[in-house]
Amino acid sequence: MSAAQKTVLIPIPNLDFDPSEVAIPWRVLSDRGHRVLFATPNGACAAADPLMLSGEGLDAWGFIPLLKKIKLLGLALRANATARAAYAELQATPAFQAPLRYADLRVADFDGLLLPGGHRARGMRAYLEDATLQQFVGAFFDSGKPVAAICHGVVLAARSRSAQSGKSALHGRKTTALTWKLERSAWHLMTFLGRFWDPAYYRTYGEQAGEAAGYRSVQAEVTRALARPEDFIDVTPDSPHFFRKSSGLFRDSVADGRPAFVVADGNYVSARWPGDVHHFASTFAQLLEATGDHPDQGKMRPSDR
């Protein structure tokens, strides 16, 4: 790697973050020579969503102690082998074992910020709703340094306010995030074929009485924070490899970027779900490494890789 080492912060909740969206960016950035630090609300070591690691409890019989070891949906929905191996490695690192506290974060200490996601309300709401973290994220956007957000991490970005404009940090930017199509598909899968006793497992926030279906979805909340609805970007039918990108059945890898969909807008990179994570991480790494060499990044078009 020719670019100088950069320091990247990945804030996470105490529990239930998505292992793919944390471990793969850590692996990609570390392999390129960058330093990756973590932060949690209280500085305690965090833990990923166990269902996304084991797959146990995602099938319709997952509430039965012995039968939950038999996995069908669980094998398809959990993090893949590459992500699980990366997470196992990550857990042994000093930076992960001794994270910073949200309250101690300073923008000046980092060159880049990466906001991962996760969907399980039990742990993720504390991360998405933390006022101290939101203030830091807003200030980081204002600094002009590179920021990346994936899945529910985009909700955190949308809720963070710019001190300069008084609006969402994403106001005036183009972004993608977990789409309502993908979120609804996973929710319905749990309701009818999987974790029926906990169908809201894939819905971090559910609609209240009188609200339209999808009003509390990631896509809807993020879109409400933008300057224009059309600034939320989703893959279009004329995109190369549209089915691979849109079906939710395929995940990208180091060797195969066809399923990935990533949006880059100036110093900001976003993606939808773990199926985009390799291309998301490498796109962010390239932006990070270009910072300082080319201060005017300009506007980049959504990637059709």
Side-chain angles (χ1 to χ4, degrees), residues 60-184:
W61 50 86
F63 63 96
I64 304 172
L66 293 178
L67 291 183
K68 72 178 184 179
K69 298 291 184 181
I70 303 172
K71 293 169 284 190
L72 294 178
L73 275 180
L75 291 177
L77 295 175
R78 70 177 181 174
N80 64 21
T82 300
R84 297 197 310 273
Y87 181 68
E89 259 190 279
L90 172 61
Q91 286 181 292
T93 64
F96 186 80
Q97 292 177 356
L100 304 167
R101 295 190 313 144
Y102 291 169
D104 296 332
L105 299 177
R106 300 189 311 158
V107 173
D109 293 339
F110 309 101
D111 301 301
L113 174 67
L114 191 146
L115 306 176
H119 51 262
R120 195 172 189 179
R122 183 185 70 174
M124 286 300 297
R125 285 190 180 182
Y127 165 74
L128 299 174
E129 298 170 6
D130 191 283
T132 299
L133 183 56
Q134 289 174 9
Q135 184 177 25
F136 172 79
V137 172
F140 210 96
F141 270 97
D142 282 346
S143 76
K145 296 179 180 181
V147 180
I150 183 169
C151 197
H152 285 67
V154 185
V155 173
L156 174 57
R159 292 180 177 181
S160 301
R161 304 198 78 76
S162 162
Q164 296 174 358
S165 69
K167 298 178 180 178
S168 167
L170 295 185
H171 190 87
R173 299 176 186 271
K174 296 186 185 303
T175 191
T176 193
L178 181 68
T179 63
W180 176 226
K181 176 184 176 182
L182 289 171
E183 188 174 356
R184 180 177 52 193

Side-chain angles (χ1 to χ4, degrees), residues 209-259:
E211 293 178 344
Y215 182 81
R216 300 282 177 177
S217 69
V218 169
Q219 179 174 351
E221 179 172 350
V222 169
T223 300
R224 288 193 291 271
L226 304 179
R228 305 176 305 162
E230 55 266 36
D231 287 342
F232 187 96
I233 310 297
D234 192 9
V235 59
T236 57
D238 60 346
S239 297
H241 313 295
F242 171 72
F243 181 71
R244 284 181 176 273
K245 284 173 162 48
S246 63
S247 66
L249 299 175
F250 302 89
R251 299 187 183 210
D252 75 346
S253 66
V254 172
D256 185 6
R258 292 175 298 170

Side-chain angles (χ1 to χ4, degrees), residues 267-289:
N267 66 338
Y268 171 61
V269 176
S270 58
R272 304 165 303 169
W273 73 301
D276 301 327
V277 72
H278 288 86
H279 186 37
F280 166 74
S282 62
T283 300
F284 176 64
Q286 291 164 19
L287 174 62
L288 186 71
E289 291 158 12

